[in-house]
Amino acid sequence: QVHLVESGGGLVQPGGSLRLSCVASGSIVSIYTMNWYRQAPGKQRELVATITKGGTTNYADSVKGRFTISRDNAENTVTLQMNSLKSEDTAVYYCNAATSTILTMGYYWGQGTQVTVSS
């Protein structure tokens, strides 16, 4: 079993910054791609940022230049530094990881953390 736990969400004014963190724990053999998704009210969940085990990153066009994804393979953590936040960044943010255990491999999700950008 693999557990992902996000932290760092909250309320911030437009133009502000937040740093989200996600830690994976459990019977982990290896973690491959780690992702951040978000889902705003009434909208579909969307991919925000991706980072491979080797550190290659990719971003949604809407966050390029403002968000930075990073990971610590030794600690099984992934972070999302969010700068110059806009009201349209308001959403529940989810951590997702492609993970292998001794029994299986699959994509695991965290429970989500709320980010609200408002004045």
Side-chain angles (χ1 to χ4, degrees):
Q1 188 74 352
V2 176
H3 300 279
L4 301 179
V5 178
E6 301 100 335
S7 61
L11 173 64
V12 64
Q13 292 186 343
S17 298
L18 279 176
R19 184 178 179 87
L20 305 183
S21 295
C22 172
V23 58
S25 62
S27 305
I28 297 169
V29 172
S30 186
I31 301 177
Y32 304 99
T33 302
M34 302 186 83
N35 312 293
W36 285 98
Y37 284 78
R38 67 185 181 188
Q39 187 166 21
K43 295 188 177 181
Q44 289 188 331
R45 191 172 295 189
E46 64 171 345
L47 179 62
V48 175
T50 294
I51 186 166
T52 67
K53 190 170 185 177
T56 300
T57 60
N58 202 4
Y59 299 91
D61 287 343
S62 59
V63 307
K64 280 181 181 176
R66 300 188 297 121
F67 290 11
T68 302
I69 188 171
S70 59
R71 65 188 285 172
D72 184 330
N73 291 331
E75 299 293 331
N76 290 338
T77 60
V78 61
T79 61
L80 186 68
Q81 177 66 43
M82 305 186 295
N83 299 327
S84 303
L85 283 162
K86 306 175 181 179
S87 58
E88 50 263 44
D89 295 318
T90 295
V92 178
Y93 283 71
Y94 298 90
C95 174
N96 167 266
T99 306
S100 62
T101 70
I102 58 174
L103 297 177
T104 188
M105 176 173 173
Y107 284 89
Y108 296 88
W109 292 89
Q111 82 288 352
T113 185
Q114 176 70 47
V115 171
T116 302
V117 184
S118 175
S119 55

